Amino acid sequence: MTDTLIKVDLNQAATDNEQVHNRWHPDIPMACWVNPGDDFILETYDWTGGAIKNDDDASDVRDVDLSTVHYLSGPVGVKGAQPGDLLIVELLDIGAKQDMLWGFNGFFSKNNGGGFLTDHFPSAQKSIWDFEGMFTKSRHIPGVRFAGLIHPGLIGCLPDHKMLAEWNKREQALIDTNPTRVPPLANPPFASTAHMGKMQGEARDLAAATGARTVPPREHGGNCDIKDLSRGSKIFFPVYVDGAGLSVGDLHFSQGDGEITFCGAIEMAGWVHMKVELIKGGMAKYGIKNPIFKPSPIVPTYNNYLIFEGISVDDDGKQHYLDVNLAYKQACLNAINYLTKFGYSPAQGYSLLGSAPVQGHISGVVDIPNACATLWLPTDIFEFDINPSASGPTKFLDGSIDLPIAYDK
Ligand code: ZN
């Protein structure tokens, strides 16, 4: 039987679990040790540690303290791993916790985190998704049901001291260009809500003061939010410290490319069954700076799409130069506007693009002055025909159901 090396109790505060942490720092002690070739299971909290409830009130999304995230299970020490090696992590399987067979999606208030389309959706809203085995549906967004492409939003190894210092330096330099921006440009270390695993006393306080926040993806992987890094994938991580220190969390039942809604994909608590191996000296052998991975041999098959184009011209008609971020925004807004013709609210459309297995593609980056991005909406997830036709759209929804909203106090 495979050992569960880290257990989480959803009725216990994540901060009381010493095999969980919410900052990146090389001095965080290993939560457990394994050998190359071992397979084992780690349980995880959802990324907020249970802050978002299964109800019809979005005030929890509005009021969430984002300095507390993400709660990660680990770090797992791998015997014999040394700086310069590659750690191979095979995601043998991933599932939801039996006592939490549901997940959440939402968007934060612009004044507390925001999101990709926060200028269009400035208030906190959420949708709850129920799991039916490998499928999910939401009482807040009728008319859709789809198979999960389950993946960890966040997985990576501990940085060394030099790399940590570099992260903090470059991110602070960015913050300094506009320190009062809402939402902020980046999140600096924040000691008071740091959870440093087993660390205690003065050592803990020192590490908490410089521990990197878990929000951005970095050279070690981290919060990459790649939907295709799913169960069955094999990932090759750079190793920076003795033992590697592998941590995982922020499990998603499903996500659209970009995780545009930020709170987040379909977020869940669960477990990851994984196997580790080493390639000694692999970073130099393969010229690896950021992780690489092989995708899963098993993915849901959605082959029919309606594809929305977007270009780098903003809402005011202003021309921008090859701005892929803006082009993807416009593609998303075009898809949301289309969905409203079938009776969805704009918020339902936005939430669906963050939750369903939509694809985002960078389609053109050389045709000055416009970048072109595309948003691929799978048409088979809908219980009605979403395709355009001469007879015009049929309103599937009457507007009586929408996402709960919580306005700023
Ligand atoms: Zn997430």
Side-chain angles (χ1 to χ4, degrees):
M1 201 174 106
T2 305
D3 289 334
T4 299
L5 298 182
I6 298 181
K7 291 192 164 86
V8 304
D9 175 357
L10 301 182
N11 297 310
Q12 180 193 37
T15 45
D16 291 341
N17 190 321
E18 290 193 339
Q19 291 182 301
V20 168
H21 63 105
N22 66 1
R23 299 289 189 269
W24 292 112
H25 195 286
D27 296 342
I28 297 174
M30 300 301 172
C32 53
W33 284 90
V34 298
N35 287 303
D38 284 355
D39 71 292
F40 52 92
I41 292 170
L42 307 181
E43 294 183 348
T44 77
Y45 288 92
D46 82 73
W47 75 300
T48 68
I52 309 302
K53 305 298 179 199
N54 184 354
D55 60 22
D56 302 311
D57 179 354
S59 56
D60 49 10
V61 173
R62 177 193 62 198
D63 299 334
V64 67
D65 180 356
L66 288 175
S67 76
T68 63
V69 301
H70 301 66
Y71 289 108
L72 307 178
S73 295
V76 177
V78 180
K79 288 176 192 162
Q82 293 174 300
D85 294 346
L86 284 177
L87 178 67
I88 308 175
V89 178
E90 197 168 8
L91 301 176
L92 301 176
D93 205 358
I94 306 174
K97 287 272 284 179
Q98 275 306 307
D99 50 344
M100 187 178 161
L101 294 177
W102 60 275
F104 61 89
N105 172 269
F107 14 111
F108 297 116
S109 158
K110 189 174 179 180
N111 293 312
N112 185 29
F116 191 56
L117 301 178
T118 195
D119 290 334
H120 294 263
F121 299 91
S123 298
Q125 295 193 257
K126 78 177 180 188
S127 57
I128 300 297
W129 295 79
D130 290 308
F131 305 152
E132 298 175 334
M134 62 184 281
F135 296 97
T136 188
K137 61 189 174 99
S138 170
R139 64 181 179 270
H140 297 121
I141 309 178
V144 288
R145 183 174 187 263
F146 47 85
L149 181 54
I150 300 184
H151 58 277
L154 202 163
I155 183 167
C157 296
L158 293 179
D160 61 17
H161 283 277
K162 185 164 167 260
M163 176 164 274
L164 175 65
E166 183 60 33
W167 291 351
N168 285 336
K169 187 175 147 210
R170 74 190 183 198
E171 288 173 27
Q172 189 58 51
L174 177 66
I175 293 167
D176 291 344
T177 63
N178 188 355
T180 56
R181 186 180 187 272
V182 178
L185 289 168
N187 301 110
F190 187 73
S192 66
T193 51
H195 177 40
M196 309 299 285
K198 290 179 185 173
M199 281 187 113
Q200 301 287 346
E202 198 181 345
R204 181 248 165 234
D205 294 347
L206 276 171
T210 56
R213 303 285 289 280
T214 55
V215 176
R218 298 186 180 96
E219 290 86 340
H220 68 150
N223 195 23
C224 290
D225 291 316
I226 303 168
K227 77 176 192 323
D228 304 288
L229 201 158
S230 59
R231 61 177 165 171
S233 295
K234 188 188 267 195
I235 319 161
F236 302 79
F237 286 107
V239 172
Y240 309 101
V241 301
D242 287 335
L246 176 74
S247 294
V248 64
D250 186 22
L251 301 188
H252 297 160
F253 191 85
S254 175
Q255 181 204 292
D257 279 340
E259 203 194 23
I260 61 171
T261 38
F262 191 27
C263 177
I266 295 177
E267 304 293 328
M268 68 177 201
W271 51 267
V272 184
H273 182 186
M274 57 175 88
K275 181 176 180 177
V276 293
E277 300 273 6
L278 288 172
I279 299 178
K280 297 302 291 178
M283 284 178 73
K285 277 180 192 162
Y286 290 101
I288 299 295
K289 180 177 147 196
N290 297 66
I292 58 175
F293 71 96
K294 299 280 296 176
S296 174
I298 297 173
V299 293
T301 49
Y302 291 108
N303 296 322
N304 294 316
Y305 291 90
L306 198 54
I307 300 174
F308 295 85
E309 301 180 7
I311 56 171
S312 51
V313 175
D314 68 21
D315 298 332
D316 299 323
K318 187 179 168 211
Q319 180 70 59
H320 293 251
Y321 177 73
L322 298 180
D323 185 336
V324 174
N325 187 288
L326 176 58
Y328 193 50
K329 266 183 190 149
Q330 293 300 326
C332 292
L333 289 167
N334 288 341
I336 291 168
N337 189 47
Y338 183 90
L339 287 167
T340 63
K341 306 305 177 192
F342 295 82
Y344 286 112
S345 71
Q348 286 173 323
Y350 185 25
S351 186
L352 194 51
L353 300 189
S355 308
V358 308
Q359 295 187 34
H361 290 237
I362 299 169
S363 300
V365 290
V366 294
D367 300 314
I368 55 169
N370 276 329
C372 179
T374 47
L375 184 290
W376 298 42
L377 183 66
T379 52
D380 294 343
I381 67 172
F382 294 92
E383 292 169 354
F384 57 94
D385 188 3
I386 196 87
N387 292 294
S389 68
S391 56
T394 310
K395 282 229 169 183
F396 179 81
L397 294 156
D398 63 6
S400 60
I401 298 170
D402 201 354
L403 269 58
I405 188 163
Y407 297 101
D408 287 354
K409 283 184 263 193

mmCIF file of all heavy atoms in Angstrom, residues 130 136 155 217 239 293:
data_model
loop_
_atom_site.group_PDB
_atom_site.id
_atom_site.type_symbol
_atom_site.label_atom_id
_atom_site.label_comp_id
_atom_site.label_asym_id
_atom_site.label_seq_id
_atom_site.Cartn_x
_atom_site.Cartn_y
_atom_site.Cartn_z
ATOM 1 N N ASP A 130 -19.958 21.336 -8.070
ATOM 2 C CA ASP A 130 -20.078 20.003 -7.457
ATOM 3 C C ASP A 130 -19.408 18.969 -8.351
ATOM 4 O O ASP A 130 -19.516 19.039 -9.572
ATOM 5 C CB ASP A 130 -21.556 19.652 -7.264
ATOM 6 C CG ASP A 130 -22.190 20.511 -6.181
ATOM 7 O OD1 ASP A 130 -21.619 20.571 -5.071
ATOM 8 O OD2 ASP A 130 -23.224 21.153 -6.453
ATOM 9 N N THR A 136 -18.053 17.768 -13.494
ATOM 10 C CA THR A 136 -18.454 18.838 -12.578
ATOM 11 C C THR A 136 -19.529 19.707 -13.203
ATOM 12 O O THR A 136 -19.611 19.843 -14.424
ATOM 13 C CB THR A 136 -17.242 19.704 -12.174
ATOM 14 O OG1 THR A 136 -17.638 20.618 -11.153
ATOM 15 C CG2 THR A 136 -16.674 20.487 -13.351
ATOM 16 N N ILE A 155 3.357 23.695 -7.890
ATOM 17 C CA ILE A 155 4.282 22.615 -7.519
ATOM 18 C C ILE A 155 5.701 23.069 -7.861
ATOM 19 O O ILE A 155 5.918 23.698 -8.901
ATOM 20 C CB ILE A 155 3.910 21.286 -8.232
ATOM 21 C CG1 ILE A 155 4.813 20.134 -7.795
ATOM 22 C CG2 ILE A 155 3.881 21.433 -9.738
ATOM 23 C CD1 ILE A 155 4.306 18.754 -8.216
ATOM 24 N N PRO A 217 4.642 32.380 -10.561
ATOM 25 C CA PRO A 217 5.545 31.314 -10.997
ATOM 26 C C PRO A 217 6.958 31.887 -11.063
ATOM 27 O O PRO A 217 7.123 33.080 -11.300
ATOM 28 C CB PRO A 217 5.025 30.989 -12.406
ATOM 29 C CG PRO A 217 4.382 32.245 -12.879
ATOM 30 C CD PRO A 217 3.845 32.940 -11.654
ATOM 31 N N VAL A 239 16.840 21.414 -9.233
ATOM 32 C CA VAL A 239 17.082 21.266 -7.787
ATOM 33 C C VAL A 239 18.107 22.323 -7.357
ATOM 34 O O VAL A 239 19.143 22.476 -7.997
ATOM 35 C CB VAL A 239 17.602 19.848 -7.457
ATOM 36 C CG1 VAL A 239 18.037 19.759 -5.994
ATOM 37 C CG2 VAL A 239 16.532 18.803 -7.768
ATOM 38 N N PHE A 293 8.089 19.612 -18.851
ATOM 39 C CA PHE A 293 7.260 18.449 -18.499
ATOM 40 C C PHE A 293 6.674 17.759 -19.721
ATOM 41 O O PHE A 293 6.595 18.332 -20.801
ATOM 42 C CB PHE A 293 6.148 18.826 -17.512
ATOM 43 C CG PHE A 293 5.027 19.677 -18.058
ATOM 44 C CD1 PHE A 293 3.848 19.095 -18.503
ATOM 45 C CD2 PHE A 293 5.118 21.057 -18.076
ATOM 46 C CE1 PHE A 293 2.784 19.878 -18.982
ATOM 47 C CE2 PHE A 293 4.073 21.844 -18.557
ATOM 48 C CZ PHE A 293 2.904 21.253 -19.008
#
